[in-house]
Amino acid sequence: MDIIVLEPGITELSIKHIIKKLESKGLKTHISHGTERTIIGVIGDTSKVTEEEEDAIRAMTGVENVVRILKPYKLASREFKKENSEIKVRDLIIGGKKIHVMAGPCAVENKTILFSIAEKVKSAGATILRGGAFKPRTSPYSFQGLGEEGLKYLAEAREKYGLSIVTELMDTKDMDVIMKYTDIIQIGARNMQNFKLLLEVGSVQKPVLLKRGLSATIKEWLMSAEYIMSQGNHNVILCERGIRTFETATRNTLDLSAVPLLKQLTHLPIVVDPSHGVGKRDLVAPMARAAIAAGADALMIEVHTNPEEALSDGEQSIKPESFTKLMKELKPIAEAIGREI
Ligand code: PEP
Ligand code: MN
């Protein structure tokens, strides 16, 4: 018993009775007011609820139906919420009709470069500026990011160019400083199953961009979303960024089939990051176009004014001119499927 569908017009008092009953069994609840129905999501180990107890709840005033979800993720599932989740990021909505584009350098390198990129991606139509201040690098000798200094530059760029910002949190100890500056907290692929980090970002209400792990199945990925949501933060945005396969000709294999599949399995919005997905500059635009056609709610693209000199991921970063061209190409594709960009 995982979802309790309530009758239309149920009184607050009846809802309270139902919640009390569930709490007496050590379960927690989350109420979701949909357009047609209000439902109670039951959080906790519901496997111990007997059939008799389930029938008793079904018989309570105002209960229309009690549904068991067979999937291991509940709050993230389509069964739990039929309508697409729309995640508010300052004055933007991710998961609505408009497709948002997050663009910027892999890492914040210095203020001048960041501002120059921000200005260009903004005028091309991006609404969110990306840039890592804490970088998960394969080598301990590579540039690790500017830390708080980088976050400050991002926040200044937000004010100057009117862009929201997204940046990665790698360690629970940096939670306070990240919260101070960012609009979206990015959980990187390497940390998708860092459960302590997931619980930490679940305890706030700031939107979380949850990247797919390098070798994570869709089920594991949704279980990670569930970790965040189980703590009360339902503002989760999924990001497909390529997975590791036998193929080495591209950096990763961008799993675009994940997009329509996730639309069936979950109500959460999905972002596609073709830059990390392919790792090669020339392949970014075609895969970005394909991602929109597949139904992505947003894109994340690495842009750098001087990719040859970039301190990280230069090979997959496109120049602002290519980004501007791409944004124009995306428009008719979005319109063809009833969306806008
Ligand atoms: C990034 O966005 O720069 C990044 C490190 O991404 P990922 O975690 O997907 O590798
Ligand atoms: Mn990168």
Side-chain angles (χ1 to χ4, degrees), residues 109 304 306-315 317:
E109 299 176 4
H304 200 288
N306 188 2
E308 291 76 23
E309 303 282 315
L311 296 181
S312 66
D313 287 349
E315 254 180 90
S317 299

Side-chain angles (χ1 to χ4, degrees), residues 27-44:
L27 299 165
K28 287 192 187 145
T29 55
H30 175 91
I31 301 200
S32 168
H33 296 280
T35 43
E36 286 164 31
R37 282 277 187 283
T38 296
I39 59 177
I40 301 178
V42 187
I43 305 160

Side-chain angles (χ1 to χ4, degrees), residues 105-107 130 135-137 186 211 251 273 275-276 302 312-314 316-317:
C106 179
R130 64 144 288 142
K135 292 304 303 174
R137 302 307 299 279
Q186 178 170 325
K211 287 197 146 193
R251 180 177 178 181
D273 169 356
S275 306
H276 292 86
E302 286 186 340
S312 66
D313 287 349
Q316 66 196 36
S317 299

Side-chain angles (χ1 to χ4, degrees), residues 213-224:
L214 274 69
S215 303
T217 63
I218 285 178
K219 188 163 141 191
E220 287 163 341
W221 187 12
L222 288 171
M223 288 308 289
S224 290

Side-chain angles (χ1 to χ4, degrees), residues 35-71:
T35 43
E36 286 164 31
R37 282 277 187 283
T38 296
I39 59 177
I40 301 178
V42 187
I43 305 160
D45 184 4
T46 54
S47 64
K48 292 190 181 68
V49 176
T50 65
E51 261 178 54
E52 289 74 26
E53 287 174 321
E54 184 178 320
D55 285 344
I57 290 167
R58 190 173 277 113
M60 289 180 81
T61 309
V63 173
E64 185 174 286
N65 199 8
V66 173
V67 184
R68 286 234 184 225
I69 297 184
L70 298 173
K71 297 203 177 66

